[in-house]
Amino acid sequence: MTKKEVKTIGVLTSGGDAPGMNAAIRAVVRTAINKGLKVKGIMRGYAGLLQEEIIDLETTSVSDIINRGGTILYTARSQEFRTEEGQRLGAEICRKHGIDGIIVIGGDGSFRGAGKLSELGINTIAVPGTIDLDIACTDYTIGFDTAVNTAMEAIDKVRDTSTSHERCSIIEVMGRHAGHIALWCGIANGAEDILLPERYDGNEQYLINRIIENRKRGKKHHIIINAEGIGHSTSMARRIEAATGVETRATIIGYIQRGGTPTCKDRVYASLMGAKAAELMADGKSNRVVAYKNGEFIDYDIQEALNMTKDIPEDQFEISKMLVR
Ligand code: ADP
Ligand code: F6P
């Protein structure tokens, strides 16, 4: 395949935001400029691309953002870009603005969009940015570390009051389709039960029996970590209280998990991934995803990456159960 010379690149953030996205943007901009490229910021993901919300970015445009949650480029979801017409228009707009390639920071939906743009002749490099850790090709996604630390601290606080009142607590963390946040918090917070979208079979009677048994054994609280994808935590709490006679409260941690100052790990890994994405772009590569695998930053073909599957590590789930027996 002949390499296309890239002179000007765009960078956008897409899908759900994640702490550390700003660190990645900063690294993309500064690495690309260092390599002699011009950089444009595309606001509001693919939606902003289709609206031509495009700004010039200089080294100083990304000053003072490495420590900030959210994304200075904003993010959005675009139905129009899911259509062939929308994708063709996106590629035309890139050409109109002299953008030879785009670095897309987002989840696997955003990667699909990037794959389409590369088929239309716009070089694309994708960077995994999602708190859900649900991208199969990589062991790390930008934002997961901050999100689990935020959730862990919140759960510690709920645990204090849950113990004082000798209650059962159902604590809902994010992860509509993926239980990685729930599993990590479950282990880090010593939860009695962890309900994962990938595993939970809806057997509430099992939970009820465990709460009653644990009470007999003298446990002062019972923490159930519930991934968002499982269902309604508040009604589950009501049913469990009625069946066990143990006071039960639900806490939904919610969007605080998606914001806040990124952890050191998120800042460093996002910076390294952003820099690698810009280097790949400067080398004329396209249709690649940056990934962290077995301790190394590498890259995959986008389609190959999207075809990979990822499950909850069964051994970690088993250990989490054993540690609260
Ligand atoms: P995430 O990137 O976090 O998985 P989404 O799944 O919402 O988030 O995807 C973000 C955006 O990427 C969508 O709003 C859409 O514009 C684009 N996108 C998602 N799937 C596709 C697809 N199959 N083809 C083209 N664009 C897509
Ligand atoms: O960012 C990932 C995530 O938090 C998922 O866990 C959740 O399903 C989704 O985003 C919800 O995002 P929104 O409410 O912005 O659509």
Side-chain angles (χ1 to χ4, degrees), residues 65-292:
I65 65 166
I66 193 164
N67 53 328
R68 282 170 52 193
T71 157
I72 59 160
L73 296 176
Y74 301 99
T75 185
R77 297 190 165 96
S78 164
Q79 278 307 321
E80 190 185 353
F81 195 75
R82 288 173 181 270
T83 65
E84 272 183 38
E85 270 171 34
Q87 292 150 17
R88 265 200 300 274
L89 177 61
E92 266 169 42
I93 290 170
C94 286
R95 280 188 267 274
K96 178 177 161 191
H97 288 263
I99 296 173
D100 308 302
I102 294 192
I103 294 179
V104 172
I105 306 166
D108 52 6
S110 305
F111 293 3
R112 280 179 224 286
K116 300 288 182 193
L117 275 181
S118 82
E119 284 169 21
L120 293 164
I122 305 300
N123 283 10
T124 56
I125 306 291
V127 177
T130 166
I131 65 164
D132 288 345
L133 194 70
D134 61 346
I135 297 179
C137 69
T138 182
D139 298 335
Y140 165 81
T141 61
I142 295 170
F144 176 75
D145 192 58
T146 306
V148 284
N149 276 288
T150 301
M152 180 190 74
E153 286 175 16
I155 295 164
D156 279 345
K157 293 183 169 84
V158 177
R159 185 195 186 108
D160 288 345
T161 170
S162 196
T163 305
S164 308
H165 287 263
E166 299 176 68
R167 281 174 176 159
C168 169
S169 276
I170 299 177
I171 306 173
E172 183 174 315
V173 296
M174 274 187 156
R176 199 172 290 164
H177 305 293
H180 300 284
I181 297 176
L183 178 61
W184 273 61
C185 289
I187 295 173
N189 294 98
E192 276 68 29
D193 286 291
I194 310 172
L195 312 185
L196 307 171
E198 297 88 343
R199 294 287 185 282
Y200 183 55
D201 59 3
N203 187 353
E204 259 176 41
Q205 192 56 49
Y206 169 80
L207 298 173
I208 289 162
N209 295 345
R210 273 180 53 73
I211 294 165
I212 294 170
E213 262 167 45
N214 278 339
R215 272 296 131 133
K216 285 190 198 145
R217 288 170 54 211
K219 280 222 181 196
K220 296 293 180 209
H221 63 235
H222 193 107
I223 305 278
I224 300 174
I225 305 285
N226 189 7
E228 183 191 350
I230 293 304
H232 200 259
S233 299
T234 313
S235 48
M236 184 186 258
R238 264 190 241 114
R239 288 193 298 272
I240 285 181
E241 178 169 309
T244 59
V246 176
E247 268 194 320
T248 303
R249 296 285 189 272
T251 304
I252 299 166
I253 301 181
Y255 287 95
I256 65 165
Q257 293 160 97
R258 280 232 305 243
T261 184
T263 58
C264 181
K265 181 171 179 174
D266 273 329
R267 295 180 200 194
V268 173
Y269 280 38
S271 297
L272 299 176
M273 282 185 160
K276 185 168 175 72
E279 279 164 11
L280 290 168
M281 201 43 110
D283 284 349
K285 301 273 169 54
S286 182
N287 202 41
R288 309 295 295 175
V289 180
V290 177
Y292 180 75

Side-chain angles (χ1 to χ4, degrees), residues 9-13 21 24-26 28-29 39-43 45 57 73 99 101-105:
I9 67 163
V11 55
L12 62 80
T13 47
M21 279 184 165
I25 294 167
R26 172 178 172 271
V28 164
V29 171
V39 188
K40 292 185 188 261
I42 299 163
M43 310 301 287
L57 292 176
L73 296 176
I99 296 173
I102 294 192
I103 294 179
V104 172
I105 306 166

